[in-house]
Amino acid sequence: HLVRVHANFPIVNDMSLYTLSTLCCLPQRFSERYLGRHGITAKENQAQFRFWQMVGGLMQIKGIPDAPDALLDWMLAFERAEMRPSEECTCIVKALADEWASYWLPRALQPLGRGVFYSLIDPELRERLQLPRPSLFSRVLTRVAVKVFFHGKRLLPDPEERHFSDYFRAANRKRSRTNFTSHPEGSR
């Protein structure tokens, strides 16, 4: 299904591979940057890689490297070669920062939220794309929040497994409670 959805857009393989690499490598990058030796384990990193490698194969993405470090190296080389500042890029990232801040925070705290958003972007990539440098307070707050999040995930029990289809089941149950007749001419 994902292949059909993406077929409507002129996406070259390298862009698909880059998107896949960000999904696969971001946890490792955050872990190394914010948690050091207390971050995700090599086994967790390998599992994450295998999952995304499988998804990429199902999506018919070509050239996926055979190891997590090789994929990270490919991703960083792609960023160095392809990521350049542009007005369009700046507008898109600003819109993403605004949306992220408005989703998570009340209006009064949204400027701080945008700073946290920009803090999450790798500093080298942020500089290369000429994106705003977050304040020291935003960077410190981000470091603390990411550490609390990751350590909390380790300490708290896993949530009950849920599936996207559960959303539709819940919506149908709600509708059926308010719809007293299921037949157009009333109950028979």
Side-chain angles (χ1 to χ4, degrees):
H1 180 72
L2 283 174
V3 173
R4 269 197 328 265
V5 168
H6 287 86
N8 295 319
F9 305 99
I11 303 170
V12 296
N13 187 74
D14 276 358
M15 287 306 295
S16 295
L17 182 54
Y18 177 72
T19 301
L20 184 82
S21 70
T22 61
L23 295 169
C24 180
C25 297
L26 208 60
Q28 176 189 357
R29 292 177 86 183
F30 276 13
S31 177
E32 289 171 355
R33 191 159 128 206
Y34 294 110
L35 304 170
R37 64 182 179 86
H38 300 292
I40 62 175
T41 66
K43 193 174 186 178
E44 290 168 323
N45 189 42
Q46 183 66 29
Q48 175 92 2
F49 170 76
R50 286 180 186 239
F51 171 79
W52 287 111
Q53 185 182 42
M54 183 184 70
V55 169
L58 292 171
M59 290 186 65
Q60 303 168 4
I61 297 173
K62 307 291 182 232
I64 301 171
D66 293 331
D69 289 340
L71 182 59
L72 179 59
D73 291 344
W74 182 92
M75 183 183 82
L76 295 174
F78 182 85
E79 287 178 354
R80 282 190 291 277
E82 301 294 330
M83 302 295 181
R84 293 177 191 84
S86 71
E87 188 176 326
E88 296 84 2
C89 172
T90 302
C91 287
I92 290 169
V93 175
K94 182 185 180 313
L96 288 169
D98 290 344
E99 172 140 356
W100 188 86
S102 69
Y103 180 83
W104 291 107
L105 299 168
R107 185 176 306 275
L109 296 177
Q110 288 176 15
L112 179 62
R114 286 188 285 277
V116 169
F117 178 88
Y118 286 116
S119 294
L120 291 169
I121 299 172
D122 183 69
E124 182 184 329
L125 180 60
R126 189 177 61 236
E127 190 174 307
R128 186 178 312 108
L129 295 177
Q130 298 176 357
L131 298 173
R133 186 170 195 262
S135 69
L136 176 62
F137 181 74
S138 292
R139 293 191 315 267
V140 169
L141 178 63
T142 301
R143 181 168 296 283
V144 169
V146 169
K147 285 182 178 187
V148 167
F149 174 80
F150 274 104
H151 288 301
K153 293 283 287 174
R154 289 251 163 104
L155 296 174
L156 297 173
D158 286 334
E160 181 182 322
E161 187 173 336
R162 294 176 32 201
H163 299 280
F164 186 64
S165 60
D166 292 343
Y167 168 80
F168 296 104
R169 282 191 209 108
N172 285 335
R173 276 195 299 273
K174 186 176 180 182
R175 246 182 285 154
S176 67
R177 278 188 234 126
T178 58
N179 184 8
F180 297 108
T181 60
S182 58
H183 194 275
E185 296 174 32
S187 59
R188 292 184 171 201

